[in-house]
Amino acid sequence: MNRRLMLTWLIVVLAIISLQSLGWASGMISHQNQTGRRKLRDQRGFISIDCGIAPGSDHTDGGTQIYYTSDAEFIDTGINYNVSSDYVNEHTDQNLKNVRSFPEGDRNCYTLRPREGKYLIRAHFKYGNYDSKNQLPIFKLHLGVDEWTTINITDASFPFREEIIHVADKDHLDVSLVNINRGTPFISVLELRQLNGSIYSPSETGSLQLFNRWDFGTKEYDEWA
């Protein structure tokens, strides 16, 4: 095993330990899947945005008790849609029943204002044929001025998720959806979770994109929130 691979494994294990110390982590997780979740009591350092719900509205997730708010105060572009009823059932999470879509502009950005520190940033995308076009899009996701990842929606019913750990060292943070002329960008949920200081050294800045996450030793398959 080469040194770079060993370093990658070490970072992943440290991330698991850090998340468990905050009471979040349990179970083996795919970053493109969702299952049952534990309730959280302490939501300090959380920003939880349900993209596409009406301005001024909010709700609390029944499984995790996490409070979600409208995205209206974080962005002033885009159009709200509900996903098609064909893709909603009694098991569908409330925050995956709607999206904010961006048919205009090459780049549309959410501006977040977290406190300085280390954050886990998650973005969720469930197409659900919200626009009745049955056209699965491909678009870019940027964090600040840097490209984060490419979002390639390959299944209208599947909730895709991307994660990145980032050190916020400014008074604002932009998460941008970038149109590459391969379909209309959209987003379902945007979340920030503040981490403790053990993952990075105090002076280190930058980002760490998720490859996968394992929790060793638990008996139940359960997702952290």
Side-chain angles (χ1 to χ4, degrees):
M1 184 179 294
N2 61 42
R3 294 181 62 187
R4 184 172 182 180
L5 184 57
M6 291 180 64
L7 179 59
T8 300
W9 272 101
L10 178 60
I11 292 172
V12 171
V13 171
L14 288 175
I16 295 168
I17 294 171
S18 175
L19 291 169
Q20 285 180 323
S21 71
L22 293 177
W24 294 356
S26 177
M28 180 177 177
I29 307 165
S30 166
H31 64 292
Q32 293 184 336
N33 200 4
Q34 293 189 346
T35 56
R37 290 161 295 169
R38 290 182 176 178
K39 293 182 179 180
L40 298 184
R41 296 179 177 86
D42 187 355
Q43 298 184 34
R44 289 174 295 180
F46 279 32
I47 299 177
S48 304
I49 304 170
D50 188 343
C51 306
I53 61 175
S57 59
D58 55 61
H59 65 88
T60 299
D61 184 276
T64 62
Q65 298 302 305
I66 293 177
Y67 171 80
Y68 285 85
T69 187
S70 164
D71 59 354
E73 65 179 281
F74 303 97
I75 194 167
D76 56 9
T77 59
I79 302 172
N80 293 349
Y81 287 92
N82 295 324
V83 303
S84 169
S85 60
D86 295 337
Y87 296 91
V88 176
N89 57 45
E90 65 272 20
H91 303 296
T92 304
D93 288 349
Q94 179 65 34
N95 52 24
L96 295 176
K97 295 180 179 179
N98 36 262
V99 306
R100 184 178 286 258
S101 174
F102 302 95
E104 298 183 359
D106 294 333
R107 182 184 182 96
N108 290 271
C109 300
Y110 283 83
T111 299
L112 312 174
R113 300 189 182 279
R115 295 175 294 178
E116 288 188 5
K118 294 90 175 170
Y119 286 86
L120 174 68
I121 305 172
R122 290 196 301 235
H124 304 248
F125 309 85
K126 180 179 177 179
Y127 174 60
N129 196 26
Y130 71 87
D131 54 3
S132 301
K133 294 180 178 180
N134 281 312
Q135 296 178 354
L136 302 177
I138 301 174
F139 52 92
K140 298 286 188 180
L141 194 63
H142 285 197
L143 183 60
V145 298
D146 299 318
E147 181 176 333
W148 172 355
T149 190
T150 297
I151 305 300
N152 183 6
I153 304 299
T154 57
D155 186 332
S157 64
F158 196 83
F160 293 83
R161 183 176 72 193
E162 291 293 340
E163 298 186 8
I164 196 167
I165 293 175
H166 179 73
V167 178
D169 57 355
K170 298 180 180 179
D171 62 356
H172 71 279
L173 180 65
D174 288 337
V175 176
S176 303
L177 295 93
V178 180
N179 192 322
I180 57 173
N181 298 316
R182 300 185 66 181
T184 301
F186 74 94
I187 187 169
S188 302
V189 184
L190 185 59
E191 301 170 317
L192 274 74
R193 306 287 183 256
Q194 190 170 26
L195 305 177
N196 64 37
S198 65
I199 294 179
Y200 291 97
S201 66
S203 61
E204 188 171 357
T205 60
S207 301
L208 179 65
Q209 187 171 351
L210 174 69
F211 170 70
N212 213 328
R213 182 180 295 110
W214 297 269
D215 180 10
F216 302 99
T218 55
K219 297 181 179 180
E220 297 181 357
Y221 183 81
D222 193 17
E223 185 186 4
W224 55 279

